[in-house]
Amino acid sequence: QPQPQPQPKGRELFRSQRKESEGSVDCPNLEFEYGDADGHGAELAELYSYTEEPELSHNRRCFEEDFHTQVPDRRWLELDGAQQKAYVMRLLDGLEVVNRDKRLRVARAILYLAQGVFGDCDNEGDVLHWSRHNSFLLYQLGTFSAFLELLNMEIENSQACSSALRKPAISLADSTELRVLLSVMYLMVENIRVEQETDPPEWKTCRETFRMELSFPVHTEEPFALLLFTMVTKFCSGHAPHFPMKKVLLLLWKVLLFTLGGFEVLQAMKVRRREELGLPPLPEDSIQVVRGMRAASPPTYAIELMEQQQQQQQQQQKRGHRSRRPLMKQDSLDIYNERDPFKNDEGGVDEEENDDVDSGIEGELDLMERDAIIPAMPAQRLPIERVSFPKGLPWAPKVRQKDIEHFLEASRNKFIGFTLGQDTETLIGLPRPIHESVKTLKQHKYVSISDVQIKNEEELEKCPMSLGEEEVQETPCEVLYRAMLYNLPQYMIALLKILLAAAPTSKAKTDSINILADVLPEEMPITVLQSMKLGIDVNRHKEIIVKSISALLLLLLKHFKLNHIYQFEYVSQHLVFANCIPLILKFFNQNIMSYITAKNSISVLDYPHCTVCDLPELTAESLEAGDNNQFCWRNLFSCINLLRILNKLTKWKHSRTMMLVVFKSAPILKRALKVKQAMMQLYVLKLLKIQTKYLGRQWRKSNMKTMSAIYQKVRHRMNDDWAYGNDIDARPWDFQAEECTLRANIEAFNSRRYDKPQDSEFAPVDNCLQSVLGQRLELPQDFHYSYELWLEREVFSQPIRWEELLHCQ
């Protein structure tokens, strides 16, 4: 009986995997420019679900019915500034009425103004122009604060919450009022936030006033962003399942972007802060360096190389040549194939551990190695770009003070036999080459703002009396942190819960939260076309949620890190405790190329296009075809943000780096290298670099091309032996202690700066009985109501045994 041949099966499996994995080598370079947000029109379009489209004409009706009674035979565009203001003031008066339906109609009319009175416009440009114009007009007349009051009322509306809790399925209808209010606020924030060269001076002052209003609470209220964070936690706790989460998260992200500032602003603040602290300027502008980077080719699968080599052999056999070339590198025969403590114990290799024995990084292949995989050809016909070597490394190397101390400690132990602690100046008894090394290390020494802040914090902890009170600048970031501080763990958990529910790799579980409340229509689709449209809408909805959460978390981390390192560490630690690291890895454990090229949008239904153009007949074919974009901007943006967050959480933290190793992140991250976009590859390579020393020699040998890409694209730290395995800091038993020490430092910082006790241990104590009894005590409001009850229960009803006083010893 003939035995079935296993090889073709294996090959078929590989082939199907390859088809799924987006034909890795053929992936073109992605012309993607990273920024704070997408184009203005795209950002406005993402506010609306496709199921909300009928509401656009409803808003228009509400406006026109009211407008034509007030201003007959005129169009909004024909009114002068004074008439427009007078009409808006009349609309705002209509928001004061008690009747809920009338109030909603007026809010819809205002929303139509903020949407750019599209009924009077001929093209998309006009709609966007009038949307901006009306947003500034609405803000100047106090619309935002009026809508803020209405939003507070709606959040506290217990009737809506209880009716939503009773319903088996929540739909768009449950969040109508909230969606109208949040849409107006989002359009105002987004339109006023975006600067254009043609803006008149009054708009610029208006923008600054609005920024101040959102950043600094008026009348001792909390900043606006905190109200939105509270909405997120209330939604996640299950008390308000009807909250339209996508709109809340988009608005929260844009408010943080507007009040704290984007990446360019952050870079400028960093430069300014370094000047104030007397630190040398940054060696380069990281934004510009990343923009100038070129993407590398992704690592190829071993099966592709096998096929390539077999084809060559067949061609040569036809010509009568016998090939002496081996089929593949035989790693298993290598004498260095020792067992590594972090490798899994099974005999087989991890799913992708061996999938790129020769992973081609374009333009960086060694010619000797290339000989094994590229057919013999005349030397003069070699393509020029394949052999172009980089002119230099993109980043200036950096050295920390700690690195110099470690180097000197090791040198002194070796040559003298004792150490001098943190002394980096005394070089007596050390050989000449060590002197040269220390000189080179000091030339590249980099002191970060965080180092200065940690040092200051240590001094303040040590000498609280002599150093006195610390002067804290009232920046928008500081105000936000102070407001978020006490509920920050809940905010982080809530954001990650929603991110998990929106991730494409998540399976629908009964206990997961329902994030589709503001996308599902009241009547579920009947036809195939409607189902397809809703399917696209739901996927798009989830992508937008992932985009907004990833962007706002990254903004928070970056701004808190600049404001104070322990604020950043507090947020990071709670993200780590809430399982952010495995969550992001789970997100990337999918066909990342198909996620980035996903076409979950119907461009003809996007705002503002759908408001001014006649909609063509939608067919299943046109929906399937989607748009002709090379990639989906928001998905690539989300992926880069999540990788940056993962980098922020794990950098210089050995315990968290070990989490990457334990969760087997290397094959997941290597698959992400298939996306040919330089910035995304850089952050993947950074994450691979910090864990290479734990992955074992066999992994490093099998992934030499990935190692060479790390060498060329990631910043070098002198003395950092990332490519080997003998790190001083890599002692597993220190990991727990590391996190505990960090936590203690964070708690000390928070209690010192934010828990201001009225009677601290250094305050003098009053020992005089008369003055103590003569003090006026502020009693709480409810004490007055329950005072008589308290007297009855605690005094009158308790029998007092006076005779016991006489028997007292």
Side-chain angles (χ1 to χ4, degrees):
Q1 189 178 350
Q3 289 291 320
Q5 290 185 333
Q7 195 186 0
K9 274 191 182 175
R11 178 137 344 122
E12 282 307 312
L13 179 72
F14 265 127
R15 234 186 233 119
S16 65
Q17 271 184 2
R18 232 174 71 212
K19 274 178 189 163
E20 279 175 21
S21 74
E22 72 286 333
S24 58
V25 179
D26 303 326
C27 162
N29 279 314
L30 303 183
E31 297 299 322
F32 169 84
E33 189 164 324
Y34 185 82
D36 294 326
D38 203 348
H40 187 51
E43 289 296 338
L44 295 185
E46 287 179 354
L47 177 64
Y48 311 103
S49 304
Y50 296 141
T51 38
E52 287 180 279
E53 190 203 339
E55 294 189 17
L56 290 167
S57 50
H58 187 25
N59 298 340
R60 180 179 174 180
R61 267 199 314 280
C62 290
F63 172 81
E64 286 178 350
E65 284 167 13
D66 184 76
F67 186 70
H68 291 317
T69 56
Q70 304 288 345
V71 192
D73 307 324
R74 300 282 295 278
R75 296 194 314 160
W76 172 260
L77 311 188
E78 294 166 357
L79 302 185
D80 60 27
Q83 290 169 319
Q84 288 182 347
K85 281 182 181 175
Y87 179 69
V88 171
M89 290 303 285
R90 205 174 294 134
L91 275 181
L92 290 175
D93 290 340
L95 288 176
E96 305 291 327
V97 297
V98 180
N99 185 316
R100 198 176 161 83
D101 292 334
K102 283 184 182 172
R103 219 167 46 217
L104 181 61
R105 291 182 70 77
V106 174
R108 282 192 180 283
I110 293 173
L111 176 55
Y112 176 69
L113 282 175
Q115 284 170 340
V117 288
F118 48 80
D120 298 349
C121 297
D122 301 325
N123 56 45
E124 295 175 33
D126 287 352
V127 177
L128 293 176
H129 166 78
W130 281 102
S131 178
R132 284 196 88 219
H133 174 273
N134 294 344
S135 294
F136 278 99
L137 176 69
L138 289 169
Y139 173 69
Q140 285 161 347
L141 298 175
T143 312
F144 194 85
S145 40
F147 270 70
L148 186 54
E149 282 178 32
L150 290 175
L151 181 65
N152 274 309
M153 276 168 55
E154 276 304 322
I155 292 169
E156 299 304 322
N157 183 351
S158 54
Q159 189 186 344
C161 291
S162 55
S163 72
L165 284 166
R166 282 197 303 273
K167 283 190 176 180
I170 300 170
S171 69
L172 277 171
D174 297 295
S175 60
T176 308
E177 286 89 351
L178 276 169
R179 281 185 297 107
V180 170
L181 299 176
L182 290 164
S183 296
V184 171
M185 294 170 108
Y186 179 85
L187 287 165
M188 288 175 71
V189 168
E190 182 61 5
N191 279 318
I192 295 174
R193 178 188 75 82
V194 175
E195 297 179 35
Q196 289 183 3
E197 290 176 5
T198 52
D199 291 350
E202 61 266 24
W203 281 14
K204 289 176 183 171
T205 51
C206 189
R207 181 178 294 119
E208 288 312 309
T209 316
F210 193 23
R211 184 183 278 125
M212 294 294 282
E213 187 184 318
L214 291 173
S215 307
F216 300 102
V218 190
H219 315 306
T220 68
E221 293 168 13
E222 70 247 351
F224 178 54
L226 200 78
L227 177 69
L228 299 173
F229 271 119
T230 316
M231 285 183 81
V232 174
T233 46
K234 198 172 176 185
F235 170 79
C236 282
S237 63
H239 298 314
H242 64 298
F243 280 3
M245 235 344 85
K246 183 186 84 174
K247 287 184 168 52
V248 173
L249 289 166
L250 278 172
L251 179 56
L252 177 54
W253 167 39
K254 290 303 166 63
V255 166
L256 292 177
L257 188 56
F258 185 29
T259 54
L260 303 180
F263 299 121
E264 302 274 356
V265 173
L266 195 77
Q267 187 74 6
M269 282 163 66
K270 197 172 177 181
V271 169
R272 197 166 60 246
R273 183 69 61 85
R274 287 185 70 83
E275 277 176 18
E276 288 166 10
L277 293 171
L279 296 173
L282 292 163
E284 69 274 293
D285 182 344
S286 52
I287 298 173
Q288 296 307 323
V289 173
V290 173
R291 277 186 186 152
M293 274 192 176
R294 197 169 63 90
S297 287
T300 21
Y301 277 121
I303 190 68
E304 289 172 346
L305 301 176
M306 285 169 67
E307 287 178 356
Q308 212 173 356
Q309 289 181 18
Q310 283 175 344
Q311 281 170 8
Q312 291 164 27
Q313 285 177 7
Q314 284 163 9
Q315 285 168 6
Q316 286 176 348
Q317 279 165 2
K318 280 176 193 170
R319 297 186 200 127
H321 295 299
R322 277 188 64 80
S323 170
R324 293 187 183 179
R325 207 169 282 141
L327 185 65
M328 282 180 64
K329 289 185 181 176
Q330 293 186 324
D331 288 316
S332 53
L333 300 180
D334 203 292
I335 54 168
Y336 293 111
N337 193 359
E338 82 272 17
R339 289 187 71 75
D340 276 299
F342 296 113
K343 293 279 274 198
N344 48 355
D345 293 331
E346 294 92 57
V349 192
D350 205 11
E351 61 201 90
E352 283 223 8
E353 295 291 276
N354 208 14
D355 67 0
D356 60 349
V357 178
D358 275 304
S359 43
I361 300 290
E362 188 174 352
E364 292 126 30
L365 285 166
D366 187 296
L367 285 172
M368 291 288 284
E369 290 186 14
R370 285 183 64 228
D371 188 40
I373 57 164
I374 292 176
M377 58 171 77
Q380 70 270 22
R381 288 179 57 196
L382 268 172
I384 304 301
E385 69 274 15
R386 298 286 289 183
V387 209
S388 61
F389 290 97
K391 291 189 169 56
L393 297 172
W395 306 98
K398 283 181 182 176
V399 178
R400 297 179 300 167
Q401 176 70 15
K402 198 174 167 185
D403 298 332
I404 302 176
E405 286 167 14
H406 278 168
F407 175 71
L408 277 171
E409 187 181 353
S411 303
R412 284 170 185 148
N413 271 329
K414 184 176 175 183
F415 293 106
I416 311 173
F418 63 88
T419 61
L420 297 173
Q422 295 179 337
D423 181 352
T424 56
E425 300 303 318
T426 311
L427 301 177
I428 294 164
L430 295 174
R432 191 85 207 138
I434 300 291
H435 289 235
E436 293 295 323
S437 303
V438 172
K439 185 183 170 189
T440 309
L441 288 173
K442 284 183 176 174
Q443 275 174 354
H444 292 282
K445 183 177 163 186
Y446 174 77
V447 180
S448 66
I449 295 169
S450 308
D451 295 338
V452 178
Q453 290 169 343
I454 289 170
K455 201 173 175 188
N456 289 348
E457 196 57 34
E458 283 170 2
E459 285 172 6
L460 283 164
E461 281 292 320
K462 221 182 287 177
C463 328
M465 296 294 283
S466 56
L467 290 173
E469 282 288 310
E470 175 194 18
E471 275 188 38
V472 182
Q473 271 186 312
E474 277 292 277
T475 58
C477 193
E478 183 63 36
V479 172
L480 179 67
Y481 181 79
R482 198 166 51 230
M484 286 176 71
L485 179 61
Y486 296 106
N487 291 318
L488 197 135
Q490 289 90 305
Y491 299 146
M492 294 304 116
I493 289 167
L495 287 172
L496 292 182
K497 267 187 180 176
I498 299 171
L499 183 60
L500 177 64
T505 48
S506 295
K507 303 285 176 281
K509 292 192 188 118
T510 47
D511 59 339
S512 67
I513 44 178
N514 175 20
I515 52 167
L516 304 177
D518 51 334
V519 68
L520 297 176
E522 281 186 275
E523 285 103 26
M524 291 311 274
I526 321 159
T527 65
V528 175
L529 189 67
Q530 285 174 338
S531 300
M532 281 181 73
K533 184 179 158 189
L534 183 62
I536 288 174
D537 206 1
V538 165
N539 287 341
R540 172 178 177 267
H541 181 82
K542 286 181 173 181
E543 288 172 4
I544 294 167
I545 287 178
V546 172
K547 170 188 172 180
S548 51
I549 292 179
S550 67
L552 79 88
L553 278 177
L554 182 63
L555 267 183
L556 279 178
L557 287 171
K558 285 190 79 68
H559 277 280
F560 283 153
K561 188 168 185 184
L562 183 61
N563 200 48
H564 199 291
I565 182 66
Y566 284 138
Q567 295 177 349
F568 160 79
E569 295 291 8
Y570 188 54
V571 177
S572 321
Q573 203 159 53
H574 280 294
L575 285 172
V576 172
F577 292 160
N579 279 339
C580 184
I581 292 176
L583 169 56
I584 294 177
L585 291 174
K586 181 180 180 180
F587 179 88
F588 278 96
N589 194 16
Q590 59 167 316
N591 185 345
I592 208 72
M593 204 55 217
S594 65
Y595 182 71
I596 280 168
T597 54
K599 299 199 184 312
N600 289 315
S601 57
I602 309 165
S603 49
V604 290
L605 295 181
D606 279 338
Y607 168 92
H609 184 275
C610 64
T611 58
V612 287
C613 301
D614 296 327
L615 297 185
E617 188 65 38
L618 287 176
T619 61
E621 289 74 32
S622 67
L623 288 185
E624 255 176 30
D627 52 20
N628 54 1
N629 290 336
Q630 187 192 20
F631 57 89
C632 173
W633 196 94
R634 67 173 161 263
N635 288 359
L636 189 43
F637 179 70
S638 304
C639 287
I640 291 174
N641 287 340
L642 289 170
L643 287 167
R644 293 184 76 179
I645 292 166
L646 200 50
N647 266 295
K648 288 247 168 284
L649 296 182
T650 51
K651 191 176 180 184
W652 301 121
K653 305 281 188 307
H654 296 287
S655 53
R656 298 175 194 176
T657 306
M658 290 310 300
M659 286 175 82
L660 291 179
V661 177
V662 169
F663 291 123
K664 293 194 169 55
S665 65
I668 296 170
L669 292 168
K670 253 178 55 195
R671 276 201 297 271
L673 281 177
K674 292 186 180 124
V675 181
K676 286 182 76 174
Q677 204 283 323
M679 191 170 187
M680 181 160 164
Q681 285 184 346
L682 171 71
Y683 289 107
V684 171
L685 291 169
K686 276 186 171 189
L687 287 165
L688 283 168
K689 179 186 171 182
I690 58 174
Q691 52 176 319
T692 44
K693 59 168 82 80
Y694 308 118
L695 294 172
R697 190 175 293 176
Q698 185 58 47
W699 187 91
R700 294 195 290 270
K701 280 179 59 204
S702 306
N703 295 279
M704 282 315 290
K705 294 304 175 291
T706 306
M707 300 285 281
S708 101
I710 292 171
Y711 176 79
Q712 288 187 339
K713 297 202 180 299
V714 183
R715 186 192 299 280
H716 287 278
R717 298 267 173 180
M718 291 184 176
N719 280 14
D720 178 16
D721 52 353
W722 61 271
Y724 310 102
N726 48 355
D727 185 22
I728 300 169
D729 290 339
R731 294 187 291 258
W733 53 88
D734 290 345
F735 295 160
Q736 192 91 36
E738 187 187 52
E739 286 287 348
C740 291
T741 311
L742 181 61
R743 194 171 189 175
N745 290 340
I746 294 165
E747 282 172 3
F749 164 76
N750 282 337
S751 65
R752 183 190 62 72
R753 192 185 270 198
Y754 302 106
D755 296 347
K756 295 278 167 75
Q758 295 306 310
D759 48 344
S760 72
E761 54 189 296
F762 304 117
V765 180
D766 188 355
N767 293 320
C768 176
L769 185 66
Q770 273 184 314
S771 69
V772 169
L773 292 174
Q775 280 177 4
R776 287 187 64 80
L777 277 177
E778 285 295 324
L779 296 168
Q781 193 67 38
D782 54 352
F783 182 79
H784 299 289
Y785 301 132
S786 57
Y787 177 58
E788 289 177 9
L789 189 71
W790 178 84
L791 272 178
E792 185 64 44
R793 193 178 64 231
E794 299 291 333
V795 181
F796 302 144
S797 65
Q798 297 285 339
I800 302 170
R801 291 187 287 278
W802 297 103
E803 67 278 3
E804 285 189 12
L805 286 171
L806 302 173
H807 302 308
C808 187
Q809 292 287 322

